[in-house]
Amino acid sequence: MKLPYQAQADEEPPPFLGTWERVYGAIVIYLAMLIVLFYAFSAIFTPPPSK
Amino acid sequence: MTLLDWIVLAGWLLFSVSYGLYRARGSQSTHGYLLAGKTMPWYAIGLSIMATQASAITFISTTGLSYVDGMRFVQFYFGLPLAMVLISMTAAPIFHRANVYTAYEYLEKRFDRRTRRLVSVIFLIQRGLGAGLALYAPAVVLSVILGWPEHITTFVIGALVISYTTMGGVKAITWSDVQQMVLIFSGLILALIMALSLMPKEVSFLDAVSLAGAAGRLNAVVTKFDWNDRYNLWSGLIGGMFLALAYFGTDQSQVQRYLTGRSIAQSRLSLLFNAAAKVPMQFFILFIGTMVFVFFIFERPPVLFQPVDERRLETTSGYDNIQTRFEAAHEKRRANALSWIRARDSQSLANYREAQREMDSVREDARKLAGAAPDTNYIFLSFVIHHLPSGVVGLVIAVIFAASMSVVSGEVNSLATVSVMDLYRPLKPNAPDKHYLAASRLATVFWGAYALSFAGLGRHLGSLIEAVNIVGSLFYGGMLGVFVLAFFVPRARARGAFFGVIAGEAAIFYCFFFTKISFLWYNVIGCMVVISAGTLLSLRAGAEGSN
């Protein structure tokens, strides 16, 4: 049985990167980069706890 | 507020409402009123989806949250881009192809009418409460500006929203959101520039960031896993993804937005735009809150930011003592902050942190003495009203107002859509289109009044941004679970779906009342219980059917 989300589309391609799969991959990589950046930002400006 | 501020505020509100109504002209059918005739471009939908969340609550509560608790709330949004990708792959094309008015209409096509009704009612309960809280947020603003009691200001704003929403429909809401988002971005940048420019000359930008970090306000990523900790990397990625999946995939207030898209591609692009922009935007808003925190190191803040509570505190017998302690703690923190940015040694850092703890302690004692609720929602407002120049104050207040009115109007519109399309139309299926249009307008008025009646709850719930998400998390797990069953479990049957939702909701309410599990996990737990119970019941029903 074909699942509802697998139904064939009348799909338009995305306006960039060629396929939707590539666009989705770019979003995931972008998120990972943001998390690393935020972590670095916090670490740089937060001194260790006082003794 | 000066005369110039009032002119800016009134002018903006007038323009905002008129523009939306102008763009919505000609919506004289239910298809036009509820789905904008499926004509909207991706950028309008994308900005509208963002505007729905960049409400008054975002401005006044998120900034306040980072003032008192740091930036770790940003982790709440880490799961959102992942959810947007999954919804673009699944829900968006399915709903488009099914040609439905509501997400719950699809459940009848896939399961049965009973499941559609159950999930519709769950949506109406949770979104109705959420709309009430969203309505309360701008009332907080007005009560601070005008000193009016919050129930009067809630009523005034609610009446405005109901009239505007009843006339305009979803098209008016979406186009209003577009220009509001432009203003919101401008207002955010302006607020940050003002916070930085008002600090003492000897405090550079890097000093300000370091002071926020030393006070524990830059905790944007917490990697330690803890079930009971609301915001860490794991609860954000997993729990946040489930919450966002439920919100964007099953909540009609969001689904209705991307159902207005011209095509599947337009709807997908609007969701992916949100995926890219939302996390940096929230980071930026939280960062503004931390800069307001640093600003108040050098400028004496009120003991309590809620003005009514502050006045009540002044009438108590212990006020003199509190004020003396607060003055001393503020001066000590100020001096220690300056010595730390000059010396950067461990002793001055320890002194600064000790002074910060004293400030927190005095504020907590003052709150107890005044019998006051947490004042998180009033911190940013206090900064805007008392420290920004004339004209800018009016502009920032206008942003808060317009955004919030748009959110409430969108939610009320979706509540009306579900009431009419999922509950009323199946009972009276052959009425003319004009009848349903009139029913939609009537339902809009009803849900506006409902939101008004629950708005007062907001005052007792602390941070509004958390309250809205906690209310949502009580119901979203069950809703998400049934859609996962519908999309991904071919053997799922109506009976399994119906009782699976009930089991999922029972599990969530058990967690809420009897455990300390953080609310973000409710979405995961509820969803998993629906999938497991629904699948088992469906398989059992299938086996019985075979026998």
Side-chain angles (χ1 to χ4, degrees), chain B residues 261-305:
Chain B
R262 282 176 198 153
S263 64
I264 297 171
Q266 295 290 310
S267 295
R268 278 181 170 155
L269 285 172
S270 71
L271 291 166
L272 297 174
F273 168 73
N274 209 31
K278 186 70 183 175
V279 177
M281 182 177 141
Q282 288 300 327
F283 183 88
F284 188 64
I285 294 171
L286 286 160
F287 186 69
I288 292 172
T290 64
M291 290 300 103
V292 171
F293 167 81
V294 177
F295 169 80
F296 277 124
I297 290 175
F298 302 104
E299 184 74 31
R300 185 192 178 283
V303 182
L304 297 175
F305 286 96

Side-chain angles (χ1 to χ4, degrees), chain B residues 128-129 131-133 135 154 408 412 415 446-456:
Chain B
L129 290 171
L133 295 179
L135 190 56
T154 306
V408 179
V412 166
L415 287 162
F446 169 80
W447 283 110
Y450 178 92
L452 257 178
S453 60
F454 279 96

Side-chain angles (χ1 to χ4, degrees), chain A residues 4 9 11-12 30 42 47-48 50, chain B residues 89 97 218 263 268 276 353 487:
Chain A
E11 306 214 348
E12 287 173 48
Y30 167 76
S42 301
S50 315
Chain B
M89 292 166 75
R97 289 186 200 118
L218 297 183
S263 64
R268 278 181 170 155
R353 284 175 167 161
F487 294 164

Side-chain angles (χ1 to χ4, degrees), chain A residues 47-51, chain B residues 211 214-215 297 328-341 343-359:
Chain A
S50 315
K51 288 175 187 168
Chain B
L211 283 168
I297 290 175
H330 171 68
E331 274 310 311
K332 189 176 166 188
R333 183 177 68 165
R334 186 178 189 280
N336 286 329
L338 284 172
S339 51
W340 184 66
I341 57 175
R344 300 276 178 167
D345 61 356
S346 57
Q347 186 55 51
S348 54
L349 175 63
N351 291 341
Y352 167 61
R353 284 175 167 161
E354 175 59 28
Q356 180 57 48
R357 281 194 286 276
E358 278 179 43
M359 283 287 285

Side-chain angles (χ1 to χ4, degrees), chain B residues 80-279:
Chain B
L80 186 142
L82 303 175
M84 295 290 101
V85 167
L86 290 172
I87 292 168
S88 295
M89 292 166 75
T90 56
I94 290 173
F95 291 147
H96 255 282
R97 289 186 200 118
N99 203 22
V100 291
Y101 276 93
T102 72
Y104 320 120
E105 195 178 340
Y106 174 77
L107 290 178
E108 182 172 347
K109 291 176 189 259
R110 175 68 176 82
F111 297 125
D112 63 357
R113 184 167 292 174
R114 188 171 65 156
T115 308
R116 175 186 181 181
R117 277 193 195 142
L118 174 67
V119 179
S120 300
V121 168
I122 290 173
F123 166 75
L124 292 176
I125 294 169
Q126 71 91 3
R127 186 44 62 198
L129 290 171
L133 295 179
L135 190 56
Y136 172 74
V140 170
V141 180
L142 256 192
S143 68
V144 171
I145 299 167
L146 303 173
W148 292 359
E150 283 159 5
H151 65 272
I152 294 178
T153 50
T154 306
F155 179 79
V156 170
I157 296 163
L160 263 176
V161 169
I162 292 167
S163 56
Y164 153 61
T165 312
T166 308
M167 285 189 282
V170 73
K171 203 170 180 180
I173 292 162
T174 306
W175 282 116
S176 297
D177 289 348
V178 172
Q179 36 90 12
Q180 280 160 14
M181 273 314 290
V182 174
L183 191 77
I184 283 168
F185 281 126
S186 317
L188 282 172
I189 293 165
L190 194 61
L192 179 64
I193 291 170
M194 294 309 301
L196 292 171
S197 66
L198 289 169
M199 283 184 204
K201 288 211 165 38
E202 66 263 43
V203 180
S204 69
F205 174 67
L206 287 181
D207 290 336
V209 177
S210 300
L211 283 168
R217 297 310 196 264
L218 297 183
N219 47 351
V221 181
V222 179
T223 52
K224 188 184 169 198
F225 179 83
D226 181 354
W227 282 103
N228 303 327
D229 182 15
R230 282 187 174 174
Y231 309 116
N232 57 53
L233 179 62
W234 313 109
S235 69
L237 276 173
I238 303 168
M241 182 182 76
F242 274 76
L243 178 59
L245 275 174
Y247 183 50
F248 291 96
T250 74
D251 188 312
Q252 179 62 18
S253 69
Q254 295 306 307
V255 173
Q256 193 164 347
R257 301 297 170 99
Y258 59 82
L259 281 179
T260 63
R262 282 176 198 153
S263 64
I264 297 171
Q266 295 290 310
S267 295
R268 278 181 170 155
L269 285 172
S270 71
L271 291 166
L272 297 174
F273 168 73
N274 209 31
K278 186 70 183 175
V279 177

Side-chain angles (χ1 to χ4, degrees), chain B residues 259-431:
Chain B
L259 281 179
T260 63
R262 282 176 198 153
S263 64
I264 297 171
Q266 295 290 310
S267 295
R268 278 181 170 155
L269 285 172
S270 71
L271 291 166
L272 297 174
F273 168 73
N274 209 31
K278 186 70 183 175
V279 177
M281 182 177 141
Q282 288 300 327
F283 183 88
F284 188 64
I285 294 171
L286 286 160
F287 186 69
I288 292 172
T290 64
M291 290 300 103
V292 171
F293 167 81
V294 177
F295 169 80
F296 277 124
I297 290 175
F298 302 104
E299 184 74 31
R300 185 192 178 283
V303 182
L304 297 175
F305 286 96
Q306 215 290 19
V308 176
D309 289 338
E310 174 86 356
R311 283 197 289 275
R312 193 183 317 123
L313 178 69
E314 286 167 9
T315 63
T316 60
S317 57
Y319 175 65
D320 287 343
N321 176 262
I322 287 281
Q323 198 191 24
T324 309
R325 283 175 58 204
F326 189 75
E327 292 281 359
H330 171 68
E331 274 310 311
K332 189 176 166 188
R333 183 177 68 165
R334 186 178 189 280
N336 286 329
L338 284 172
S339 51
W340 184 66
I341 57 175
R342 283 183 201 127
R344 300 276 178 167
D345 61 356
S346 57
Q347 186 55 51
S348 54
L349 175 63
N351 291 341
Y352 167 61
R353 284 175 167 161
E354 175 59 28
Q356 180 57 48
R357 281 194 286 276
E358 278 179 43
M359 283 287 285
D360 293 340
S361 164
V362 180
R363 265 176 47 78
E364 187 56 27
D365 291 347
R367 207 170 64 76
K368 284 181 188 158
L369 189 64
D375 57 357
T376 318
N377 303 320
Y378 297 84
I379 294 168
F380 184 65
L381 279 178
S382 179
F383 167 71
V384 169
I385 301 287
H386 298 117
H387 301 285
L388 295 191
S390 178
V392 178
V393 176
L395 189 70
V396 174
I397 301 294
V399 169
I400 292 171
F401 259 76
S404 188
M405 287 168 71
S406 157
V407 171
V408 179
S409 61
E411 291 182 346
V412 166
N413 183 259
S414 67
L415 287 162
T417 307
V418 172
S419 305
V420 173
M421 292 299 164
D422 291 311
L423 300 178
Y424 180 67
R425 195 167 73 166
L427 297 173
K428 198 176 170 65
N430 298 317

